[in-house]
Amino acid sequence: MECGHALQAIGKYEIKVFNTINFSKSMHYNPFAYIHSEKDILKLVTTLIANTKGDGKSGDEFWTKAETLLYCALIGYIHYEAPIEEQNFATLIEFINAMEVREDDEEFQNPVDIMFENLEKRKPKHFAVRQYKKYKLAAGVVCFKRLLNQSIRKPLKTHSL
């Protein structure tokens, strides 16, 4: 909005605000309404990540790819499986909030894991299922690396004879 008021004062521009922090101050644009294909999902996810990374800093590429896979899976599920009235960011946020992880319990499944497991039983080649499996594989690699790093950092116990 720094230049918005100046452009609006010229009279040739109409300014619209998309506020992801305070939706009551937003024009209520729903990008989910413009998704028609897997390619559109990827475009939305790429735009979302590019515009929410903060300070223009790029993080570790691994995390960006994992985030992309997760968002593609969740948005793909919403687009292909949710009713029209639930195809929005509120549903996406609900899914993300339901993704509890328990590092001490490898068998634990959160509601989103169960949702994707049920979808896979019905539609094993579903776009969202394929993306979620890739995301979970990446998450497993991270857990393995974390465990490996923890075991390397632990001092070896020595026994005296």
Side-chain angles (χ1 to χ4, degrees):
M1 283 301 294
E2 291 146 7
C3 328
H5 295 295
L7 292 171
Q8 196 171 23
I10 294 171
K12 292 183 179 181
Y13 298 93
E14 179 183 347
I15 306 303
K16 296 186 180 197
V17 177
F18 179 56
N19 188 329
T20 58
I21 306 301
N22 185 345
F23 287 113
S24 66
K25 294 182 179 179
S26 184
M27 62 180 228
H28 304 284
Y29 167 75
N30 184 4
F32 286 79
Y34 300 93
I35 295 175
H36 303 292
S37 68
E38 294 172 9
K39 187 177 179 181
D40 293 338
I41 293 169
L42 186 56
K43 283 181 192 176
L44 173 58
V45 169
T46 302
T47 302
L48 183 65
I49 291 172
N51 289 287
T52 57
K53 60 184 168 187
D55 295 335
K57 295 178 185 171
S58 178
D60 184 344
E61 189 176 328
F62 173 83
W63 295 112
T64 303
K65 286 181 179 180
E67 185 180 19
T68 300
L69 288 170
L70 176 61
Y71 287 163
C72 281
L74 296 176
I75 292 172
Y77 188 98
I78 292 167
H79 173 67
Y80 292 113
E81 301 299 319
I84 290 285
E85 64 274 7
E86 293 178 11
Q87 294 183 15
N88 53 50
F89 278 112
T91 303
L92 178 62
I93 291 168
E94 283 180 35
F95 284 179
I96 292 168
N97 288 337
M99 294 186 69
E100 178 185 355
V101 175
R102 295 183 185 167
E103 288 187 18
D104 59 333
D105 183 0
E106 291 181 27
E107 303 300 315
F108 175 76
Q109 287 189 300
N110 63 51
V112 175
D113 291 330
I114 295 166
M115 181 179 77
F116 275 99
E117 186 177 277
N118 291 335
L119 180 60
E120 184 177 15
K121 287 176 186 172
R122 291 189 340 251
K123 301 175 183 176
K125 297 187 187 291
H126 194 288
F127 170 77
V129 168
R130 293 190 326 260
Q131 300 305 302
Y132 198 69
K133 287 176 90 168
K134 290 176 192 175
Y135 163 74
K136 292 297 278 188
L137 181 63
V141 169
V142 169
C143 287
F144 177 73
K145 286 181 178 179
R146 186 176 300 143
L147 288 172
L148 187 61
N149 285 337
Q150 287 173 351
S151 67
I152 289 171
R153 284 189 229 136
K154 287 182 182 176
L156 292 173
K157 293 183 180 178
T158 56
H159 298 282
S160 57
L161 298 173

